[in-house]
Each structure stands twice: as structure tokens, then as C-alpha cells.
Amino acid sequence: MLITVKMAKFITVLSGKGGVGKTTTTINLGLAITRLGCQAIVIDGNLSSPNLTSHLGASYFPVTIHDVMQGLHPIQNSVYEHHTGLRIIPADLSIESMKLINFEKLREHLQDLHLLTEYVLIDGSPGLGRETAHLLNITDEVLIVLNPDHASLLDAKRLIEFVKKHGKTISGIIMTRHKKRSYKLRPEEIERFLGMPILHKVPDDVRFEKSLHKKTPYLHLYPSKKPSKVYYEVAKMLTGRVEPVKA
Ligand SMILES: Nc1ncnc2c1ncn2[C@@H]1O[C@H](COP(=O)(O)OP(=O)(O)O)[C@@H](O)[C@H]1O
Ligand SMILES: [Mg+2]
């Protein structure tokens, strides 16, 4: 008898610079993939300064990714469902949790996710430090997020080199907070400097602040606005799916 084991794809969302939209991108992509009818789980992988759940509401969870790393619970116990249908694995927000980071164990426990989902989206940490290096070891592909400004661009260039040195595939570069202004970098300038195309551009939109205030992903609140359409496009590219499944 032939037994096939379905493998989940691990995609880590990274940026060279902090505050460019990693968490926003991870959450909205996770929800877009879910609404396309695929299984997705979003993990807070920004282990030293977690903030996935600050975008989604609750701050306390009985079991977190830090507990899983400590071997206190199987990873299945750390999966929670947001009211929008998004499945997440939160991190421990306490300062003590810094001592509980054990990447070797994490790698081991993440194996069980292959039984739970098709896609694992990891909200990564910014920069080229130890955490990013560990995340690269456990991921299949990387999505790089940047903003149209010089600091973000220079850091993205360094990150691309870092990811390549780790032998990982970059599935795309997403530019967030895109707006046409004389003082903003143009997409062509960014592409020329990076030597890579920008996969998608998410427009700058003040409603992202509202979605943060409502602790509800933009895509759920404003499904027909342009940024949601862009997130659906990225989700379609990652999954090969075509249309959202009707709720
Ligand atoms: N397309 C966008 N337009 C306007 N604001 C955005 C957009 N994407 C993200 N933001 C805002 O940028 C800020 C930083 O985003 P966040 O996802 O927390 O960044 P990171 O995880 O990289 O630190 C948040 O206030 C978020 O609402
Ligand atoms: Mg973040």
C-alpha cells in the first residue's frame, strides 16, 4: 500500500527594517489563503518582540509557541482560531519568555504542523540577527516586505543577500505603503537597486490604522478595497488557487 504524507509549506515573512508591515502582511495573507479554501496557520515568529496578537485582540493565551519550545505542550495545543477564521499560534508576551527561546526544539515540534495545515506563515523578526537565521533554517520560502524609502531599501538589499547565503528561495518582494509622491522611491528605482522585481504593491491606506484599532484584519473589514485584492493576488500566487470560497 502506498502512503502519501501531505507536507505543509513554510513561508516566512521578513524585512530588513522593523515597522514596515510584516505582521500586517502575514495576517492578511494568512486570511486570504484561508478564504481561498486552503488551510493556513500563522505563527508569531518574532520571538523576542512578539506582536502578532496585538493586531488581533487578545493578549493572554494559555499555551504559546514558547511553551511548545519548552516541550510543555504539543504544538496542536497552541493553535487558536480568531473570530475571522484565521488560525494563529501566539507567542508569550512576558519579558521572561526571552529565556524560553529554544530553536532546536521548535524545529522538532513544527514537524507536527504537517498534519494540521497546508501553509504555515511565520511572522518573522526584522534584521539579520540570530532569530532571522534560525527562522531561515526552518522555512521553505521567504517573502520580503519593504516600504518605498531609503532605509527600508538598504536593509532589504542586505536581507536579500542574507537569505541567498542561507540557500533559501525568495518567493517575492512585497512593497507596502505604496503611494505616488515625489519624495517616495519609485518601484522601478527599487527594482533596479535590488536587481529583483517587486511582486506586488500594497497601497498606503489609512484604514490599516482602523483595522489595527478594531483588532481585525484589513481583509476581513474591507474585502473589496485594493489592498485586499493585492493580498488575494499574493495568496493565489502562493497557493495556485483562483477565487475566494464563498463564506
Ligand atoms: N498598506 C499600508 N498602509 C498604511 N499603513 C500600513 C500598511 N501596511 C501596514 N501599515 C501600518 O504600518 C504599521 C506597521 O505595520 P506592522 O505590520 O506592525 O509592521 P512590522 O510587523 O514590520 O513591524 C502598522 O501601524 C500598520 O497598520
Ligand atoms: Mg510585527
Side-chain angles (χ1 to χ4, degrees), residues 19 21-24 44 46 49-52 55 123-124 126:
K22 281 183 303 303
T23 306
T24 308
D44 197 339
N46 193 348
S49 50
N51 53 29
L52 181 77
H55 285 244
D123 180 23

Side-chain angles (χ1 to χ4, degrees), residues 16 38-39 48 50 52 59 98 133 141 187 211 214 217 222 227-228 234:
C38 299
Q39 296 170 320
S48 53
L52 181 77
S59 57
M98 286 284 288
E141 292 180 13
S211 99
K214 291 187 172 170
Y222 312 105
S228 296
V234 182

Side-chain angles (χ1 to χ4, degrees), residues 1-47:
M1 187 174 56
L2 182 67
I3 300 174
T4 52
V5 180
K6 262 183 26 187
M7 298 292 280
K9 184 180 267 189
F10 283 67
I11 302 162
T12 301
V13 179
L14 292 175
S15 67
K17 187 176 169 292
V20 297
K22 281 183 303 303
T23 306
T24 308
T25 300
T26 315
I27 287 171
N28 283 288
L29 270 183
L31 192 57
I33 290 175
T34 306
R35 301 238 163 130
L36 287 173
C38 299
Q39 296 170 320
I41 292 179
V42 168
I43 304 183
D44 197 339
N46 193 348
L47 296 170

Side-chain angles (χ1 to χ4, degrees), residues 45-74:
N46 193 348
L47 296 170
S48 53
S49 50
N51 53 29
L52 181 77
T53 53
S54 66
H55 285 244
L56 295 172
S59 57
Y60 172 75
F61 294 87
V63 183
T64 67
I65 191 74
H66 287 84
D67 297 313
V68 174
M69 281 189 281
Q70 290 298 299
L72 298 173
H73 287 273

Side-chain angles (χ1 to χ4, degrees), residues 167-200:
K168 295 293 167 173
T169 306
I170 298 173
S171 36
I173 296 178
I174 300 176
M175 182 168 99
T176 58
R177 312 206 71 157
H178 173 49
K179 58 177 160 189
K180 287 183 188 147
R181 294 283 186 281
S182 58
Y183 54 86
K184 291 279 173 198
L185 289 172
R186 284 180 287 116
E188 313 83 73
E189 292 176 290
I190 294 175
E191 291 178 331
R192 208 176 316 122
F193 183 74
L194 296 179
M196 284 186 76
I198 294 170
L199 185 69
H200 283 290

